[in-house]
Amino acid sequence: MTTIDNGVNVQALLDAREVLKGAPEAAQFTWRASSKWQNGVHSTTTIQNFFGLGQEQSHKSETVFTADHPEVFAAEDNGITPIEYLLVGLAGCLTAGVASVAQNRGIQLRSVESTVEGNHDIRGILGADSDVRNGFNDIKVTFTIDADASKEDIEALVAQSQKRSAVFDALTNPTNVTVEVA
Amino acid sequence: MLERGEVANSWRRERWDSLRLLTPNWQSRLPGHRYEGPDPDGYMTMGEVIEFIERFAAVSRAPVRTGTDVTSVRRTDDGYHVTTSRGEIGCRAVVIASGACNRPTVPQFTDAVPASVLQLTPFDYRGPTHLPDGGVLVVGASATGVQLAAELKRSGRPVILSVGEHVRLPRLYRGRDVLWWMDASGVWDQRHDEVDDLTRARRLPSPQLVGTPERGTLDLNVLAATGVELVGRWAAVRDGRALFSGGLRNVFSLADLKMRRLLDSFDEWARAHGREAEVDPPERFAPTHVPESARWQLDLRSGEIRTIVWATGFRPDYGWLDVPVVDAKGRLRHEGGVVDSPGLYALGLPVLRRRKSTFIHGIEDDAREVIDHLTRCLAVRR
Ligand SMILES: Cc1cc2nc3c(=O)[nH]c(=O)nc-3n(C[C@H](O)[C@H](O)[C@H](O)COP(=O)(O)OP(=O)(O)OC[C@H]3O[C@@H](n4cnc5c(N)ncnc54)[C@H](O)[C@@H]3O)c2cc1C
């Protein structure tokens, strides 16, 4: 097999899988974000630290995310709407999955592009119709992938990346959410 | 040989009334014993299976002590001490052949299901007439789930089938039983030390197959065409509502892709081994049809569903085994049936030595190798 390189260190992931099989405590991660209200529906959320492998960890640098609503919602549009961040998460996760699985299967990728569409009936959040849910009604992701592989192998890559995706799981399955006042 | 019930106990007590084997008659073979009836391509009823195994026990003069429940196996200095409902036994070696399917597995959230809904496992289920009228939610779309969903739908009940990862197969491929292909092309003989991901292979669900005189396919497209409603994997219960995964489309894709890959490998095998003349031309099957919008919740208190049938798999029970060889997930630690304790062996577990290990015809090769190890061990230790 010619060496292929999608820039994913699959060996490190496979090694981690073996190590964590026998050390479930080390596999417990906590991801954290801290948010602050600015004004109106505008807020900023910063992310830097998380917990994992038994200790505090840190990203190389802090990232600040701005959330707001668009002008059609009579807001200032300082940033994307919170629900759009879910699309960012989904696209990022599935794309990372495609690259990792391709690396593991010896498939060289040349380009991976995707569009993500979330259909949202906003009568739910406005309280205009109690039968309409608040969240997305459905989400559609369309990948366009150029790689040294058959159409079928590419479909299998995309299927496997969903199977192993944290965000796909978080969106398709219910999660317990606790919201408290400190 | 100690047996708590009778010969062929699991087939007598732990199966539903209409069940037939999903493996064809010609494939039902035990050492020196095979099906000799008029319908080699048919599928045995439970009565026929019981008779088949009883006959094997008789002709092989298996020294079976029936009605003998093993309640404990403990290690001693030179072997094992076995406590049974009929007394104590000391022995140098023990072969655990107590089965891979002693208990139905059910998810943790069964407690959260409202009491107004009757819950059954395949061990409780005999047939549709024993169920209350009204809707049924069948959970799990492997062999048991698809068969029970089809039978319940035929009884006139509304049926919803909750589908997680599954193995899709046509009953016939290119005019031959799909299990003929598994057998002839060598897939079933694939050894445990050749399989890519053994843990995964051992957890593989049973294929969506049913044995009927018509030799028909029973995949999700067939079920949907009869009016069975497909929903995603049951993920949780919240406020009396069942919540199903929104990932249905992907479990369809995974199963379709895997089936296509398997059929490709059959075609390749037929070409490479000059078997094209024996079989019909290659076929491809329509992808699993994705419902316009699968519902992702169901109010369990609404009365829409009166019964839940858990077809979520089976597991072995080692409650009687007082030797520390069972892992945190309840699985026996073994290497090809050689258990992690001298003189202790196992047979009949998933991919014990080969992909066919848990099937009736799979035992012969495994047993020969495991018993070979056992006799060599005993000879050395003597
Ligand atoms: C629903 C279903 C359908 C199946 N369909 C097929 C099929 O179509 N074709 C096929 O080839 N295979 C099929 N199988 C797999 C089938 O289980 C095996 O082929 C075969 O029965 C395994 O035989 P076994 O002797 O290993 O286990 P079992 O048949 O489970 O026998 C184990 C025996 O051990 C006894 N036992 C257990 N614990 C104790 C104890 N503590 N003390 C004393 N005795 C004990 C039990 O009473 C039982 O008789 C099916 C399985 C299930 C669950």
Side-chain angles (χ1 to χ4, degrees), chain B residues 25-26 28-29 33-41 44 52:
Chain B
N25 289 333
W26 59 263
S28 289
R29 29 183 201 237
H33 189 65
R34 55 176 60 233
Y35 174 86
E36 269 154 7
D39 184 18
D41 289 327
M44 289 185 199
F52 181 79

Side-chain angles (χ1 to χ4, degrees), chain A residues 105 152 155-156 159-160 163-164, chain B residues 165-170 200 204-205 250-266:
Chain A
R105 295 187 178 174
E152 195 168 306
E155 281 171 7
Q160 184 66 18
K163 182 174 159 171
R164 284 275 164 268
Chain B
E165 274 193 59
H166 55 274
V167 178
R168 180 183 178 195
L169 286 181
R200 183 143 134 224
L204 199 68
N250 195 46
V251 293
F252 290 174
S253 302
L254 285 164
D256 288 349
L257 284 161
K258 279 180 197 151
M259 177 177 75
R260 216 180 328 153
R261 217 175 299 145
L262 185 71
L263 301 183
D264 282 344
S265 77
F266 291 162

Side-chain angles (χ1 to χ4, degrees), chain B residues 181-253:
Chain B
W181 289 92
M182 296 276 282
D183 196 63
S185 71
V187 175
W188 248 349
D189 283 321
Q190 231 176 51
R191 294 179 51 93
H192 67 124
D193 41 14
E194 292 167 3
V195 170
D196 271 347
D197 186 342
L198 185 59
T199 317
R200 183 143 134 224
R202 286 185 169 159
R203 290 183 47 234
L204 199 68
S206 58
Q208 290 173 334
L209 287 176
V210 62
T212 58
E214 301 75 35
R215 303 173 82 199
T217 293
L218 187 57
D219 60 15
L220 297 175
N221 282 346
V222 171
L223 283 171
T226 67
V228 170
E229 179 184 344
L230 306 178
V231 297
R233 184 172 199 273
W234 189 344
V237 179
R238 195 181 280 166
D239 305 330
R241 287 168 179 271
L243 302 183
F244 305 112
S245 168
L248 191 56
R249 188 181 290 265
N250 195 46
V251 293
F252 290 174
S253 302

